[in-house]
Amino acid sequence: MRRAAAVVALIAAGVSANAAWASARRHPDHNIPAKPSYDAACANYRSNSADCISKAVAAINHARSLEHVRPMILPDNFARLTYSEQTFVVTDLERVDRGLRPFRGITAKLNRTARQAAVADADPAPAYAAIGEFVLLNYQSNWTSNFGPLAGDYGWMYDDGYGSYNIDCSSPSSPGCWAHRDIILASYKDKPSLVSGVGSDNQNGLVSIAQLFVAGKGQHPTFTYTWRQALRHGAGGQRHS
């Protein structure tokens, strides 16, 4: 069910039948209210405004401080990236800043699948076993309808328990509670290569975003955007060539 544009909307998570990747980190004890609130600054497609970015990152960093995780540092060209690229960067920063492997990049075929899911307000699922010579072994996926990628990340990571807009967390004991966070922070142990796909769709003042997290093997597909590109622009406080 869609919420009014003035309210953060629903989120849902999906996993493949053979995916068994446990989260590498514990859950927060409870949902963390966003401090400062970024809703007014980010609503109605203003997620690339300086005010929205400043407030959303401040809220993320406040929540991170409660876990003793260092502040998030976005690449200097963040506001010029697409929603898909922004989402990829932010979820990789959530991983890297906790000592986890980043996903290498997003690829066109996975992006198209994620885009179709975003239009349909659904978790994306690839209906193919390979992208060229890259064989898909497992996947997991997240979906949100929110005020943009930073707000979507906040919901997935810090406001995903009972009482949040997580439709998979209908009771305190529901297995879907904190599932989006678990997917982002999964260890993906023994998986040789990690790639992603992200798609978005603007809908009544909100941004529907779907992301695929894929583990595979073989020659990785051609990327439309990479973690290395984000590093070149200072993601995480680093600048790599």
Side-chain angles (χ1 to χ4, degrees), residues 101-112:
R101 268 195 303 162
F103 281 74
R104 297 183 64 177
I106 53 177
T107 187
K109 192 168 185 178
L110 291 174
N111 290 347
R112 285 194 294 271

Side-chain angles (χ1 to χ4, degrees), residues 70 75-76 96 102 226-241:
R70 69 178 185 172
D76 56 26
V96 169
T226 67
W227 178 240
R228 186 177 292 275
Q229 286 177 271
L231 290 176
R232 283 204 292 266
H233 284 271
Q238 305 178 57
R239 288 191 182 274
H240 293 184
S241 59

Side-chain angles (χ1 to χ4, degrees), residues 8-11 28 31-32 34 38 42 47 52-53 55-64 67 69-74 78 83 85-98 142-161 178-185 198 207-211 213:
V8 178
L10 307 176
I11 55 180
N31 297 316
I32 303 170
Y38 48 77
C42 299
S47 64
C52 171
I53 292 173
K55 288 179 178 175
V57 171
I60 289 170
N61 287 339
H62 169 259
R64 281 175 159 222
E67 298 181 55
V69 176
R70 69 178 185 172
M72 177 180 285
I73 300 176
L74 300 175
F78 184 79
Y83 285 150
E85 293 164 349
Q86 289 179 352
T87 301
F88 168 75
V89 168
V90 172
T91 54
D92 255 5
L93 282 170
E94 295 289 13
R95 292 179 57 78
V96 169
D97 289 344
R98 290 172 172 82
N142 282 342
W143 168 78
T144 185
S145 183
N146 214 309
F147 296 135
L150 288 169
D153 175 69
Y154 195 93
W156 283 342
M157 287 290 299
Y158 307 107
D159 190 19
D160 200 44
W178 300 104
H180 306 88
R181 179 186 173 94
D182 286 347
I183 287 171
I184 292 171
L185 300 184
V198 190
V207 184
S208 177
I209 299 172
Q211 182 169 14
F213 303 84

Side-chain angles (χ1 to χ4, degrees), residues 27-48:
H27 302 152
D29 293 332
H30 50 76
N31 297 316
I32 303 170
K35 296 181 181 179
S37 172
Y38 48 77
D39 289 3
C42 299
N44 299 312
Y45 308 128
R46 294 196 300 271
S47 64
N48 284 330

